Amino acid sequence: MDSSNGEVLEAREPSVLRYSWVGNENQEPMHVTFTLEPHAGGTRLTFEHTGFKGAGGFLLAKLMMGPGWRKMLGTRIPAVLADLDEEGKLRPGSSLRPKF
């Protein structure tokens, strides 16, 4: 069974979260960065996922990670944001529930 080990590399509230993880013992670290910046009266989210190496990395990026990130960034995050008020609290009647 594979285990993942991760590390937060940078956390600058409210604009940057960058972390790395290693999924397999012989794997090079992968890095994920989320950046928020003001843009045209709103906020732009920039996402970067790096560290894919060789043919295995290509397959992982295109066939496994890509579809998962597209779903997360294109569906799940917008749904959560739609249920938050201006203070970042869940709106009354939201079907979302905190998991902590």
Side-chain angles (χ1 to χ4, degrees):
M1 175 183 273
D2 293 337
S3 64
S4 295
N5 293 306
E7 178 182 4
V8 174
L9 302 172
E10 183 178 6
R12 265 188 295 127
E13 190 177 334
S15 59
V16 177
L17 175 61
R18 182 171 174 256
Y19 60 92
S20 69
W21 83 86
V22 177
N24 296 310
E25 195 173 293
N26 298 323
Q27 178 184 351
E28 292 291 319
M30 298 184 138
H31 297 93
V32 172
T33 305
F34 294 94
T35 306
L36 298 174
E37 59 188 338
H39 178 74
T43 303
R44 173 181 285 160
L45 167 66
T46 303
F47 166 80
E48 184 178 29
H49 187 174
T50 62
F52 299 102
K53 305 281 186 200
F58 175 81
L59 292 173
L60 180 63
K62 296 300 179 193
L63 300 178
M64 295 176 69
M65 301 302 287
W69 283 122
R70 274 191 291 285
K71 184 174 185 178
M72 178 69 72
L73 296 168
T75 304
R76 292 184 177 160
I77 289 177
V80 169
L81 292 175
D83 271 12
L84 297 177
D85 65 17
E86 293 75 25
E87 295 178 8
K89 296 179 183 174
L90 289 175
R91 296 180 192 281
S94 171
S95 63
L96 300 175
R97 297 291 173 253
K99 290 188 175 187
F100 48 88

